[in-house]
Amino acid sequence: MNNRQIIILLITTFVVIIYLNIPANKKWLENRILSFAEEIATQTEHMKLEERKEIRWQSSYTAIVTITDFIKKQDKSDPLVLLPPQSYYKKIDARILIPEPVVCYYFTGLKTTTIKCKDVYKATGCLIHNGKEFIYQPLKDSTEVSKVIEIYKNT
């Protein structure tokens, strides 16, 4: 190695050390990279795909999987489910996180829509809170969809 390569190596090493000592980067290094040796034992206990999905995406995944299982038992066709907006969940104080339609489809294959989507009036079912829990309500036509949208907005 010549002097130029040694100097570049030292400068690069120095820059990397400084970069990894910035508090945010140091926290990332400790939590994501250096913790691997400690976490490998617990990770090998959860080798099934469904377990890993539940661990990674937590409540939003389990919520939409539960909803999908219930809907597919009730509705044998290929439903398009109208999901409430986040403001609806906040108003009824539901501690549930339902992902956006694209993520719902990615997680479970369930086609969903929201009141802001173009295909909202093609919905064949919806989720409504009856005071205790969410229930799946089949929808017959666009007038019922309009009524559900009003419920979502006014609740």
Side-chain angles (χ1 to χ4, degrees), residues 99-139:
E100 62 187 38
V102 172
V103 178
C104 288
Y105 188 77
Y106 173 72
F107 283 165
T108 63
L110 179 68
K111 294 178 185 173
T112 59
T113 187
T114 62
I115 61 175
K116 294 181 181 178
C117 293
K118 293 178 183 178
D119 62 350
V120 66
Y121 289 100
K122 295 178 184 176
T124 59
C126 67
L127 290 180
I128 302 256
H129 195 266
N130 67 359
K132 296 179 184 177
E133 61 188 0
F134 279 95
I135 58 170
Y136 174 71
Q137 179 69 41
L139 299 172

Side-chain angles (χ1 to χ4, degrees), residues 24-43:
N25 298 338
K26 189 174 187 176
K27 183 178 177 184
W28 170 84
L29 179 69
E30 290 170 357
N31 291 338
R32 299 288 292 193
I33 306 300
L34 300 178
S35 66
F36 178 74
E38 298 167 2
E39 294 176 358
I40 194 161
T42 57
Q43 289 183 9

Side-chain angles (χ1 to χ4, degrees), residues 26-136:
K26 189 174 187 176
K27 183 178 177 184
W28 170 84
L29 179 69
E30 290 170 357
N31 291 338
R32 299 288 292 193
I33 306 300
L34 300 178
S35 66
F36 178 74
E38 298 167 2
E39 294 176 358
I40 194 161
T42 57
Q43 289 183 9
T44 55
E45 293 173 4
H46 304 285
M47 295 299 290
K48 294 181 182 171
L49 181 61
E50 283 300 311
E51 287 179 307
R52 290 189 173 270
K53 287 180 180 179
E54 288 174 8
I55 291 168
R56 180 172 182 180
W57 293 308
Q58 300 171 348
S59 63
S60 61
Y61 177 76
T62 55
I64 198 62
V65 167
T66 304
I67 291 167
T68 302
D69 290 343
F70 178 78
I71 289 172
K72 290 195 177 182
K73 288 177 186 173
Q74 301 294 319
D75 193 351
K76 302 299 181 197
S77 64
D78 190 25
L80 177 63
V81 180
L82 176 59
L83 298 176
Q86 291 299 323
S87 59
Y88 182 77
Y89 298 114
K90 289 178 184 174
K91 288 178 184 175
I92 62 170
D93 195 32
R95 293 181 177 93
I96 185 172
L97 293 171
I98 302 293
E100 62 187 38
V102 172
V103 178
C104 288
Y105 188 77
Y106 173 72
F107 283 165
T108 63
L110 179 68
K111 294 178 185 173
T112 59
T113 187
T114 62
I115 61 175
K116 294 181 181 178
C117 293
K118 293 178 183 178
D119 62 350
V120 66
Y121 289 100
K122 295 178 184 176
T124 59
C126 67
L127 290 180
I128 302 256
H129 195 266
N130 67 359
K132 296 179 184 177
E133 61 188 0
F134 279 95
I135 58 170
Y136 174 71

Side-chain angles (χ1 to χ4, degrees), residues 82 115 120-121 145-154:
L82 176 59
I115 61 175
V120 66
Y121 289 100
V145 173
S146 297
K147 289 177 186 177
V148 171
I149 291 172
E150 287 303 314
I151 291 171
Y152 287 166
K153 289 181 178 179
N154 294 331

